[in-house]
Amino acid sequence: MLDKEICIRNIERMAEKAKKNNLRFRPHFKTHQSAEIGEWFRQLGVDAITVSSVRMAEYFIANGWKDVTIAFSLNILEIDSINRLAASAKLNVLVENREAAQLLLQKVRRPMGVFIKIDTGYHRTGIPSSRTGTIDNILDILGKNKKLAFKGFITHTGHTYTARSTNEIFNRHFDAILKLKSLKNQYRKNYPNIEISMGDTPSASICGNFDSVDEIRPGNFVFYDLMQHDLGVCSIGDIAVRMHCPVVAKHVSRNEIVIYGGAIHFSKDTILNTDGKPLYGRIVIKNENKEVLLDNNNYLSRLSQEHGIVKVTPANFRLINVGDVLEIIPVHSCLTANLMGHYVTTEGETIRMIPRY
């Protein structure tokens, strides 16, 4: 279920923040994966987007987007599709090694922008900012083909998602900016139009220092979720999506409710509950036609493939019956949305996502 009003409010807030800080707003569309939701961004003046795969780029380019960054390190097996997409849109790709740069040099058929992926502390992908020799080698390769335009340095400061406080988010964001600013200053002489692109929802939402940054690429902010709430990045009222799950059984001896809603609906992402146990979602029930968010003594505690186990207090156990529908606020809205494949708005409208294969 998607609350359109909350979703649009989240988009407006982030667009305004980008404008205030003189940043290009290139939102990541991997969270919502919907052409229709993409139109809500376009109505606010957004004309450049980020995606996480070639297939996603194909979908959004087919729906009229003409400035697209594929923010996933170049998959050299997809070069033919990338060439085809670059013929119909302004396309940017990412490289982080000589192999990918060499393949682009040999195989590129259309003009495209190239960002070098920098690891600023997340340690998932990217070149550490101190390895300027590797960066120089890649730039030498890219410079041999005029179809390849070096755009600058790109990073995902995903380690803000594991921060234990908002101060830690600020610190990790500032450390990333220092590393990227140093690179920008070092290479500005030879590349005067060099850009810095950063993308993560925690820092984009709460940080105010974007010195030397040219664009931001947050994605999760469009919906937010319990992970962001747990980080102190958003309020419960900012979370725009919920899963509606039927109650199929009750077990009074354990004060547990069984719902049709498992790992194939929610994913296996968790946060730590106040009792020290994994939490997969928080529970909203209707009481006298009013929605009530239950406290953390009531939560989605276990998942198997289709089954979800909800722990509740004895008092709330009596309020929930087989056949009721529980609203579950997900821990990670991106994965939950991807698993479900479509939305139903609070007004009853169905919104489609990228078609399944």
Side-chain angles (χ1 to χ4, degrees), residues 118 120 128-132 135-136 150 153 173-191 194-196 198 211-214:
I118 301 298
T120 52
S129 59
S130 60
R131 294 185 180 173
T132 54
I135 294 171
D136 290 339
F150 173 56
F153 300 111
H173 172 71
F174 184 63
D175 178 66
I177 282 181
L178 289 179
K179 291 173 179 175
L180 294 169
K181 183 178 179 180
S182 176
L183 283 176
K184 189 175 188 178
N185 289 337
Q186 183 171 346
Y187 288 92
R188 192 197 301 269
K189 181 178 179 180
N190 292 329
Y191 303 95
I194 190 171
E195 294 189 354
I196 296 297
M198 299 185 75
D211 184 27
S212 297
V213 178
D214 298 281

Side-chain angles (χ1 to χ4, degrees), residues 36-289:
E36 186 166 342
I37 294 176
E39 290 303 311
W40 303 349
F41 285 86
R42 210 194 305 261
Q43 290 167 13
L44 292 171
V46 174
D47 60 7
I49 65 170
T50 308
V51 298
S52 58
S53 68
V54 170
R55 179 168 175 258
M56 201 177 296
E58 290 172 339
Y59 171 76
F60 283 108
I61 289 172
N63 281 278
W65 293 92
K66 297 300 183 184
D67 190 341
V68 179
T69 295
I70 304 176
F72 192 94
S73 296
L74 184 75
N75 176 4
I76 62 176
L77 302 180
E78 294 184 299
I79 189 62
D80 290 339
S81 296
I82 290 169
N83 272 318
R84 186 177 68 253
L85 290 174
S88 56
K90 181 181 177 183
L91 192 70
N92 299 316
V93 297
L94 276 58
V95 297
E96 61 170 292
N97 49 57
R98 289 175 52 89
E99 292 87 347
Q102 192 68 42
L103 180 106
L104 279 178
L105 172 66
Q106 297 169 353
K107 300 289 187 177
V108 68
R109 299 290 178 263
R110 301 284 182 173
M112 67 183 69
V114 183
F115 280 98
I116 293 179
K117 180 73 176 288
I118 301 298
D119 178 7
T120 52
Y122 189 25
H123 304 322
R124 181 178 67 179
T125 57
I127 304 168
S129 59
S130 60
R131 294 185 180 173
T132 54
T134 302
I135 294 171
D136 290 339
N137 287 337
I138 291 173
L139 288 172
D140 287 343
I141 294 170
L142 297 178
K144 295 175 182 178
N145 192 323
K146 293 183 178 180
K147 290 186 175 69
L148 300 173
F150 173 56
K151 301 286 291 186
F153 300 111
I154 195 168
T155 192
H156 174 60
T157 46
H159 50 312
T160 58
Y161 288 81
T162 59
R164 290 167 292 183
S165 67
T166 52
N167 280 339
E168 198 166 337
I169 294 172
F170 292 135
N171 290 338
R172 292 179 180 185
H173 172 71
F174 184 63
D175 178 66
I177 282 181
L178 289 179
K179 291 173 179 175
L180 294 169
K181 183 178 179 180
S182 176
L183 283 176
K184 189 175 188 178
N185 289 337
Q186 183 171 346
Y187 288 92
R188 192 197 301 269
K189 181 178 179 180
N190 292 329
Y191 303 95
N193 296 320
I194 190 171
E195 294 189 354
I196 296 297
S197 177
M198 299 185 75
D200 69 291
T201 283
S203 64
S205 296
I206 67 173
C207 295
N209 180 355
F210 294 92
D211 184 27
S212 297
V213 178
D214 298 281
E215 72 174 19
I216 54 171
R217 311 180 326 277
N220 178 274
F221 77 94
V222 69
F223 296 153
Y224 285 119
D225 51 33
L226 287 181
M227 188 180 294
Q228 301 296 333
H229 178 259
D230 194 54
L231 288 168
V233 169
C234 71
S235 69
I236 288 291
D238 293 325
I239 302 175
V241 288
R242 294 175 181 175
M243 287 283 288
H244 282 205
C245 299
V247 175
V248 298
K250 297 177 65 175
H251 295 279
V252 65
S253 62
R254 304 191 298 270
N255 287 321
E256 290 183 347
I257 306 289
V258 183
I259 60 171
Y260 178 45
I264 61 172
H265 308 97
F266 285 96
S267 88
K268 282 284 190 176
D269 277 7
T270 65
I271 56 175
L272 204 62
N273 196 13
T274 51
D275 62 2
K277 296 179 180 178
L279 180 151
Y280 293 90
R282 288 192 62 182
I283 313 304
V284 177
I285 64 171
K286 284 191 176 180
N287 189 8
E288 297 180 353
N289 294 322

Side-chain angles (χ1 to χ4, degrees), residues 292-304:
V292 179
L293 174 66
L294 302 183
D295 64 27
N296 281 47
N297 293 313
N298 308 267
Y299 64 101
L300 184 57
S301 64
R302 300 202 312 276
L303 298 177
S304 53

